Amino acid sequence: MPEAQFSDYNPRDYPAVAVTVDMAVFTIRDSALRVLLVERGEEPFKGAWALPGGFVRPDEDLDAAAARELKEETGVTRRDAFLEQLGSYGSPRRDPRMRVITVAYWAVCPALARPTGGGDATRAELVLVSRVEDRSIDLAFDHNEILGDALERLRSKLEYTALGARFCPPTFTISELRRVYEAVWNTTLDPGNFQRNVRRSGSFEQARSGHALTGRRVGRPASVWSTRGRLSSPGRPLATRHRSRGEDRG
Amino acid sequence: MPEAQFSDYNPRDYPAVAVTVDMAVFTIRDSALRVLLVERGEEPFKGAWALPGGFVRPDEDLDAAAARELKEETGVTRRDAFLEQLGSYGSPRRDPRMRVITVAYWAVCPALARPTGGGDATRAELVLVSRVEDRSIDLAFDHNEILGDALERLRSKLEYTALGARFCPPTFTISELRRVYEAVWNTTLDPGNFQRNVRRSGSFEQARSGHALTGRRVGRPASVWSTRGRLSSPGRPLATRHRSRGEDRG
DNA sequence: CACACTTATTGTCAGTTTGTCAATAACGTG
DNA sequence: CACGTTATTGACAAACTGACAATAAGTGTG
């Protein structure tokens, strides 16, 4: 039945459906990957952690709704973060109150100072992703699944795009970028090989002046880099995720 | 604002929103990539081609809605096709009648005989993708955009997964599989290299008996293969899309 | 000051992969 | 039989990859 069959569709004949956006907002602090969570203030799941989100307004499109919520929750605007749709979740019973379909997004921000927590007094925190992954924290609704999918998307995109740079400030050292990969993938990468790939990729350009000064304690001063072009376009990997033999299209 | 703020939400206070699924169903016939389109029977866009789709029912989740529509439009069940969510489209004015958010899906079927065209008399056709790409055919609503995104997804996934086999019957020759890649990417691939990658991938197994008999006219008889494992898991490419230097994360 | 340690950068090397092309195998047709 | 066609296997040079070494450029300590 094509989308055209409105001749017999009356919205009042069906239970209402609400559409929301939910967001997995990732950042890195203290070399650890974190996700922004908010505490639920009412039932269902009162007191539990959840992904931030909200209703899509009647006059805004989905991306705009997500960008608005991102701004409200983090103070970060869309131009300073990576934001992309992840997918929609519409199990009939994901919310016991009514039919709610959520369009999930994921975002990457440079280190957030402190979550602003939205307009009300809701409690928000940058929670270690490892704590959600090891089930120390269980999320409300189907947010465990959404976060799991967002993590897999992030980890996958990290390999094929230069998106990792969105965790960094506008200028950064190659080691800082490498440490993004190490935090997200929970692994270590060879500094020499990584730098070779960064230099070869064409997605980064070296600053003409000077070396990194910020945060340096000891060791050789590093050169400073910035990004060039569209970071989400596929290209050659800067690094590859380790896969055991059995995982090869297993 | 978290998803929790239902304390002041009344669905009747807002314009109703309908949620639909739309599908880009791909198949290959006569060595050419085709997409299933239906002709609209009423305004808006009366007479125009559109992607098949329909309303999500109150008691079904999104995947089930898509699978149901796929069955209605093609007669193909979910277990015989690849079906995956592509993303949601929710521009406020995508449909002039009311607020409609669509969750787009894409599917891959072995050669469809003839589209069943759904329950009513709507006209359906397997249209050459090239005709939509070269703008010989313009689609209704935002379906041009949806189809473009689905195509890009298909072309990208073809590289990193063994999904191309879903265009083939349960058993196939390596050349048949290679011709899938050639049709989707609109290119030619080296037979020797392709076979080397198929053999090496671990995603395919050779039939123990015999060689291809069907459709062979001339030339050496080919061995017959089938798939093994999950075709959508990422692995080593069977082939790579040609990219000019300028497209490398340009 | 010398030295140890740390971090950044460049290089080496053996093994693997990739794309182009050749050689051989197995069929059908005239 | 020769030839054309399609399938399969192989050769080869260039490029890539991961592990590790060597050198560079700092800081801190005795």
Side-chain angles (χ1 to χ4, degrees):
Chain A
M1 181 173 73
E3 197 163 333
Q5 300 296 325
F6 270 87
S7 47
D8 51 354
Y9 177 74
N10 182 347
R12 297 295 187 266
D13 290 345
Y14 297 90
V17 51
V19 179
T20 59
V21 290
D22 286 320
M23 287 179 299
V25 183
F26 297 112
T27 193
I28 291 179
R29 274 230 329 236
D30 307 317
S31 298
L33 181 63
R34 292 164 192 262
V35 63
L36 178 65
L37 298 181
V38 292
E39 190 174 339
R40 283 194 56 76
E42 63 175 15
E43 298 291 354
F45 302 102
K46 183 179 166 99
W49 291 106
L51 298 173
F55 291 102
V56 181
R57 292 176 180 168
D59 61 340
E60 72 186 343
D61 73 13
L62 301 174
D63 282 3
R68 174 178 51 79
E69 289 285 342
L70 179 68
K71 176 77 194 303
E72 284 179 16
E73 302 286 351
T74 65
V76 173
T77 63
R78 174 143 194 199
R79 70 185 302 266
D80 294 325
F82 172 83
L83 179 67
E84 189 181 81
Q85 196 188 112
L86 175 66
S88 298
Y89 298 77
S91 172
R93 256 157 292 284
R94 63 180 297 277
D95 190 310
R97 290 163 299 184
M98 65 173 294
R99 187 72 199 271
V100 181
I101 286 169
T102 195
V103 185
Y105 281 76
W106 65 288
V108 173
C109 307
L112 293 174
R114 177 159 196 85
T116 56
D120 50 36
T122 307
R123 181 172 163 216
E125 272 195 34
L126 291 170
V127 176
L128 284 170
V129 162
S130 56
R131 295 196 62 215
V132 183
E133 283 200 296
D134 68 24
R135 291 302 167 102
S136 309
I137 296 183
D138 217 22
L139 304 185
F141 302 108
D142 51 1
H143 289 191
N144 281 319
E145 183 191 352
I146 295 175
L147 182 54
D149 291 345
L151 269 171
E152 187 50 43
R153 177 72 70 84
L154 166 61
R155 287 176 170 144
S156 169
K157 280 239 178 196
L158 207 58
E159 186 162 349
Y160 297 111
T161 71
L163 203 55
R166 300 308 289 260
F167 283 102
C168 302
T171 59
F172 48 87
T173 66
I174 290 181
S175 295
E176 283 166 347
L177 183 60
R178 193 186 79 241
R179 278 190 283 269
V180 166
Y181 280 75
E182 290 172 341
V184 174
W185 287 343
N186 197 26
T187 189
T188 57
L189 298 174
D190 181 83
N193 292 334
F194 190 81
Q195 180 166 126
R196 180 173 65 200
N197 291 334
V198 168
R199 286 180 181 275
R200 190 157 65 171
S201 71
S203 302
F204 303 92
E205 56 194 1
Q206 186 170 357
R208 269 171 303 177
S209 60
H211 291 81
L213 294 175
T214 314
R216 179 178 57 93
R217 298 286 182 81
V218 73
R220 176 173 170 166
S223 51
V224 180
W225 297 73
S226 57
T227 55
R228 178 171 67 177
R230 305 215 23 222
L231 299 191
S232 58
S233 307
R236 289 194 306 191
L238 299 184
T240 55
R241 277 204 274 183
H242 285 305
R243 278 199 182 88
S244 66
R245 197 68 234 168
E247 279 179 44
D248 217 4
R249 289 211 188 96
Chain B
M1 182 173 69
E3 199 162 330
Q5 300 298 324
F6 270 86
S7 46
D8 51 353
Y9 177 75
N10 182 349
R12 294 299 187 268
D13 291 344
Y14 296 90
V17 51
V19 179
T20 59
V21 290
D22 286 321
M23 289 178 297
V25 183
F26 297 113
T27 193
I28 291 179
R29 270 224 341 230
D30 305 319
S31 298
L33 181 63
R34 294 166 190 261
V35 63
L36 177 65
L37 298 181
V38 293
E39 190 174 339
R40 283 194 56 78
E42 63 176 15
E43 297 290 356
F45 302 101
K46 181 178 168 106
W49 290 107
L51 298 172
F55 291 100
V56 180
R57 291 175 180 168
D59 61 339
E60 72 186 344
D61 73 14
L62 301 174
D63 283 4
R68 173 178 52 79
E69 289 285 343
L70 178 68
K71 177 78 194 302
E72 284 178 17
E73 302 284 354
T74 64
V76 174
T77 62
R78 173 144 193 196
R79 70 185 301 266
D80 293 326
F82 172 82
L83 178 68
E84 191 181 79
Q85 196 188 112
L86 174 66
S88 298
Y89 298 78
S91 172
R93 254 157 293 284
R94 64 180 295 279
D95 191 309
R97 290 163 298 181
M98 67 173 293
R99 186 74 200 271
V100 181
I101 286 169
T102 196
V103 185
Y105 280 76
W106 64 291
V108 172
C109 307
L112 292 172
R114 179 161 196 83
T116 56
D120 49 34
T122 306
R123 183 176 163 214
E125 271 195 34
L126 291 170
V127 176
L128 283 170
V129 161
S130 56
R131 296 196 63 216
V132 185
E133 285 201 294
D134 69 21
R135 292 301 166 101
S136 305
I137 295 184
D138 218 21
L139 304 187
F141 303 107
D142 51 1
H143 288 192
N144 280 317
E145 184 192 350
I146 296 175
L147 181 55
D149 292 344
L151 267 171
E152 186 50 43
R153 175 75 66 85
L154 166 61
R155 287 176 169 143
S156 170
K157 281 238 177 199
L158 207 58
E159 187 162 348
Y160 295 110
T161 72
L163 203 57
R166 300 308 290 258
F167 284 102
C168 301
T171 58
F172 47 88
T173 66
I174 291 180
S175 294
E176 282 167 348
L177 182 60
R178 192 185 81 241
R179 277 190 283 267
V180 167
Y181 280 75
E182 290 173 338
V184 174
W185 287 344
N186 196 25
T187 188
T188 57
L189 299 174
D190 180 82
N193 292 334
F194 190 81
Q195 181 167 121
R196 180 173 65 198
N197 291 332
V198 168
R199 285 180 182 274
R200 191 155 67 175
S201 71
S203 301
F204 303 91
E205 58 193 0
Q206 185 169 358
R208 269 170 306 175
S209 60
H211 289 82
L213 294 175
T214 314
R216 179 177 58 94
R217 296 285 183 79
V218 73
R220 179 175 168 168
S223 51
V224 179
W225 296 73
S226 57
T227 54
R228 178 170 67 176
R230 305 214 22 226
L231 299 191
S232 57
S233 306
R236 289 193 306 194
L238 298 186
T240 54
R241 277 201 275 181
H242 285 306
R243 281 203 180 85
S244 65
R245 199 68 234 166
E247 281 181 43
D248 216 1
R249 290 211 190 99

